[in-house]
Amino acid sequence: MAQTVNRTGVLIEIENHQVKETSLGVLTAAAGQEIYALVPLDDASGLKEKLAEYGVDHIVSIKGVEDDKISPDLLARILVTAVKEYGLDALLGTAGAAGKDLFARIGAILDEPLLSDCVQVDIPGKKAVKSHFSGKTFATLRVTGILFLCTVRPNAIEAVTAPAEGQLMTFESDAQDPGWMKIVELKKESGGKRDLIEAPIVISGGRALKTARNFEMLDACADKLGGAVGASRAAVDAGYAPHTIQVGQTGKTVSPRLYIACGISGAVQHFAGMKTSKVIVAINEDKDAPIFSKCDYGIVGNIFDVVPALTQKL
Amino acid sequence: MKIFVCVKHVPDTANNITVAGEDAYDDSDVKFIINPYDEYALEEAVSIVEEKGGEVVVIVVGKDAASTTIRSALAMGVDRAIHIKTDSQFLDSSLTAKALKAAMDEDGFGDLIFTGKGSVDTEGFQTPYRLAHALGVPVVNDVSDVSLEDDRVRVTSEIGCGAKQVVEMNSPCVIGVTKGLNEPRYPKVMQVMKAKKKEIKEIVLSDLGIDVDEGKIFMEKLVLVPERSGAKLLEGSVDDQVTELVRVLKEDEKVL
């Protein structure tokens, strides 16, 4: 008996007119299914080659959603109509700030279970593996809803090419905005920075950085690495870094391919926010810091010597 | 003004977790606390009522043991509590939301509803949304600033890359909050004593018409995230160490 193929929608995220790398990983999570890429652009034809290369059977341009102040209530309702239009069995997205919000709205509207921030996905089995207890454990959860809803942790699933046809189509929804909320302002003060959750490489600083100014040393290194800067809770509480870049409990969970911890001792809560990174490197003056017992590579040394030297070598 | 705050009783994240059997954890030695994000929700609600008058009602869905979390919330200045009793720390946020809504319907109209942005145990980050949908009101999650003007609510929430959005909505609404909003207070001894006398209304989940068997999420397996065995320390001068690190990351690990 042939295995059942599920009609699987993947919400594609766009950055600078290109498909985000993280969305390609979500397409790989849906490999083997009949994939509908839902693209929030009036005309997605420019993305045909890329999407087809990563296994998309149908490329759906969703009309009328390019406004960056579109109400999330409206966007969720539009996607619900797309699910119905194409008879989708599953809908997957990226577990970044936008995807988590949107999928929670869709789950609420349809009263369907949502598995968020997953690191492994089994669409036919309606199962996924996700973080539990603040990153300390992985839970395998099975759901029984009609629509399988799931967001995938950025970088957790490596994108693999799987050429498909990538047939273009357009979708126009008749969904209405309930008019409950209005986005009145977008504040992009730190604009142009890489998103911490989605970055393939993260370099983080702890209390040993001593001042907010010294975080510029990490910025310089992150620029060379093509990565983002994170901070420990101690550094955030001391006022050296904004809460938006805190890694660990009450901050963000990241899963980059390389995590470099600078002057971070390695509290349980911090590890919980980065332990699924592929490679972890620690730089710390204290050779007995707990972080050295739980990472891959360590340099015992002064961060103010080591980090600039590293930046120069890159 | 009446403000509901929805709070969860969760294992302290400073603890390590012990897995028991295939799909459960051993909570016998585990200290439980107020879900850390919910502390910001409690602080915000209490300070709004201190300024504008009214009452703060905390609602907790959880086991008998959650009464410690309820007392902690009352000590922070909450006026009274509703404890919806369950047999288990259930997973399904849809049922949690239905229970919260039913309790609110029974208790009467609330002007604002605060929650934490998510819980640190199940990490589903959806209860605020499901509750808002059940109530038919707007919701914004991940909120780090709140201002009120009559029945207009203005909140700031994070949207990725460190960028934020300012959203306006009408009350009643659900606001899921995060760190940065305020500094939660530490209750003084007097407040802890006073909290012991405050009202806790207990409701059994099934009395609200919620059937746990209607849950749609099942845990099949729970495992610890594997620990690494310890760092390979790089040796030599700073220059040697850094040169070797870059080589290893490029050639052996292929992550650069």
Side-chain angles (χ1 to χ4, degrees):
Chain A
M1 197 179 82
Q3 202 182 8
T4 324
V5 171
N6 291 269
R7 289 188 172 189
T8 301
V10 173
L11 180 64
I12 302 297
E13 296 191 1
I14 307 291
E15 192 173 51
N16 302 326
H17 310 288
Q18 298 295 319
V19 179
K20 274 197 192 177
E21 284 293 315
T22 47
S23 286
L24 299 177
V26 183
L27 288 172
T28 299
Q33 312 307 315
E34 184 179 356
I35 301 178
Y36 288 73
L38 306 179
V39 186
L41 292 174
D42 285 338
D43 178 8
S45 57
L47 308 177
K48 180 180 158 94
E49 205 179 317
K50 189 82 172 178
L51 291 172
E53 189 188 346
Y54 284 87
V56 174
D57 300 291
H58 314 277
I59 300 169
V60 184
S61 306
I62 302 178
K63 285 188 161 307
V65 296
E66 283 189 38
D67 177 6
D68 62 2
K69 285 188 184 172
I70 187 171
S71 149
D73 281 327
L74 175 59
L75 194 51
R77 280 162 176 75
I78 289 172
L79 288 167
V80 165
T81 57
V83 165
K84 289 179 179 155
E85 172 78 15
Y86 299 108
L88 300 181
D89 304 302
L91 183 64
L92 272 59
T94 313
K100 273 189 187 167
D101 181 76
L102 195 55
F103 274 68
R105 288 176 198 277
I106 294 169
I109 292 167
L110 294 171
D111 197 14
E112 289 282 9
L114 160 65
L115 299 177
S116 53
D117 209 14
C118 299
V119 296
Q120 273 176 49
V121 183
D122 170 5
I123 296 169
K126 291 197 170 191
K127 283 183 209 178
V129 177
K130 74 179 288 286
S131 157
H132 222 68
F133 294 120
S134 293
K136 292 182 195 118
T137 59
F138 283 134
T140 304
L141 301 177
R142 181 173 57 83
V143 295
T144 57
I146 297 165
L147 176 70
F148 180 73
L149 275 175
C150 176
T151 58
V152 178
R153 177 175 290 180
N155 305 314
I157 296 174
E158 202 173 328
V160 178
T161 57
E165 199 179 338
Q167 189 189 22
L168 287 162
M169 49 177 87
T170 53
F171 175 68
E172 202 156 356
S173 172
D174 57 3
Q176 298 290 314
D177 185 356
W180 284 338
M181 63 170 75
K182 197 174 165 213
I183 297 173
V184 291
E185 195 188 339
L186 296 174
K187 294 181 179 176
K188 296 183 177 169
E189 54 247 68
S190 54
K193 281 200 180 168
R194 227 173 237 280
D195 188 275
L196 177 62
I197 301 180
E198 297 178 4
I201 296 177
V202 173
I203 178 164
S204 281
R207 209 197 317 248
L209 265 285
K210 292 192 183 116
T211 66
R213 189 91 199 266
N214 287 336
F215 266 81
E216 288 171 11
M217 176 177 84
L218 301 188
D219 283 331
C221 192
D223 283 346
K224 281 275 189 76
L225 289 163
V229 174
S232 72
R233 178 179 175 167
V236 171
D237 287 351
Y240 307 158
H243 170 245
T244 48
I245 65 166
Q246 183 180 323
V247 173
Q249 191 218 311
T250 65
K252 295 190 166 57
T253 303
V254 297
S255 194
R257 65 171 186 258
L258 172 61
Y259 187 91
I260 305 176
C262 305
I264 292 175
S265 61
V268 175
Q269 290 96 331
H270 187 77
F271 256 93
M274 49 64 130
K275 74 199 290 185
T276 60
S277 305
K278 192 170 170 219
V279 176
I280 300 175
V281 175
I283 303 168
N284 201 307
E285 208 163 24
D286 175 9
K287 67 175 177 23
D288 298 320
I291 196 157
F292 285 127
S293 65
K294 295 185 279 190
C295 68
D296 299 299
Y297 299 97
I299 292 180
V300 178
N302 185 317
I303 49 172
F304 298 106
D305 298 330
V306 177
V307 175
L310 173 63
T311 307
Q312 223 175 12
K313 279 276 172 332
L314 293 166
Chain B
M1 178 177 290
K2 177 174 172 184
I3 305 179
F4 285 116
V5 185
C6 307
V7 166
K8 192 171 185 187
H9 179 64
V10 298
D12 187 344
T13 49
N15 288 318
N16 280 313
I17 294 291
T18 309
V19 173
E22 273 280 286
D23 59 358
Y25 75 104
D26 178 3
D27 66 358
S28 53
D29 269 339
V30 174
K31 185 184 163 217
F32 276 71
I33 56 168
I34 297 181
N35 179 45
Y37 296 111
D38 300 349
E39 288 191 350
Y40 304 108
L42 288 163
E43 176 60 41
E44 196 66 11
V46 170
S47 46
I48 289 171
V49 163
E50 279 171 351
E51 192 195 322
K52 297 179 188 285
E55 69 164 345
V56 181
V57 182
V58 66
I59 311 185
V60 174
V61 181
K63 296 199 276 192
D64 282 342
S67 58
T68 56
T69 281
I70 294 173
R71 290 291 170 201
S72 305
L74 291 168
M76 282 179 76
V78 168
D79 296 286
R80 59 188 174 88
I82 300 171
H83 184 179
I84 303 169
K85 292 203 163 186
T86 60
D87 295 330
S88 65
Q89 187 122 4
F90 61 61
L91 286 171
D92 199 317
S93 57
S94 170
L95 293 180
T96 307
K98 281 172 189 161
L100 291 169
K101 179 199 185 274
M104 286 176 194
D105 285 348
E106 217 176 89
D107 200 73
F109 181 85
D111 300 281
L112 285 175
I113 297 133
F114 281 104
T115 71
K117 76 161 183 181
S119 66
V120 296
D121 57 352
T122 51
E123 301 180 68
F125 299 98
Q126 353 176 342
T127 306
Y129 297 91
R130 295 186 190 273
L131 174 61
H133 188 78
L135 293 166
V137 302
V139 55
V140 178
N141 205 12
D142 223 351
V143 167
S144 55
D145 189 66
V146 177
S147 64
L148 305 176
E149 203 174 308
D150 301 320
D151 64 349
R152 206 69 185 145
V153 181
R154 183 185 263 253
V155 297
T156 303
S157 70
E158 201 191 321
I159 49 173
C161 297
K164 293 183 174 183
Q165 63 181 5
V166 181
V167 180
E168 279 186 7
M169 55 192 166
N170 286 327
S171 72
C173 56
V174 176
I175 303 170
V177 303
T178 191
K179 185 176 175 176
L181 177 64
N182 53 40
E183 277 300 323
R185 66 193 70 189
Y186 285 105
K188 299 201 173 72
V189 179
M190 269 296 286
Q191 290 160 315
V192 176
M193 299 301 285
K194 259 171 85 178
K196 289 183 180 161
K197 295 187 184 125
K198 290 181 181 173
E199 180 201 339
I200 301 178
K201 183 181 177 187
E202 296 185 345
I203 308 175
V204 178
L205 186 68
S206 54
D207 288 348
L208 292 170
I210 311 286
D211 181 358
V212 180
D213 294 336
E214 283 174 13
K216 293 177 183 169
I217 299 189
F218 302 90
M219 187 169 324
E220 294 208 327
K221 206 170 159 190
L222 187 69
V223 294
L224 292 175
V225 174
E227 295 284 355
R228 291 155 215 258
S229 51
K232 177 170 188 276
L233 294 178
L234 305 174
E235 293 176 357
S237 67
V238 168
D239 193 65
D240 293 344
Q241 289 172 316
V242 167
T243 305
E244 175 63 4
L245 179 63
V246 173
R247 187 200 66 76
V248 163
L249 295 176
K250 275 187 179 155
E251 292 172 19
D252 300 350
E253 300 286 353
K254 299 186 170 53
V255 292
L256 278 187

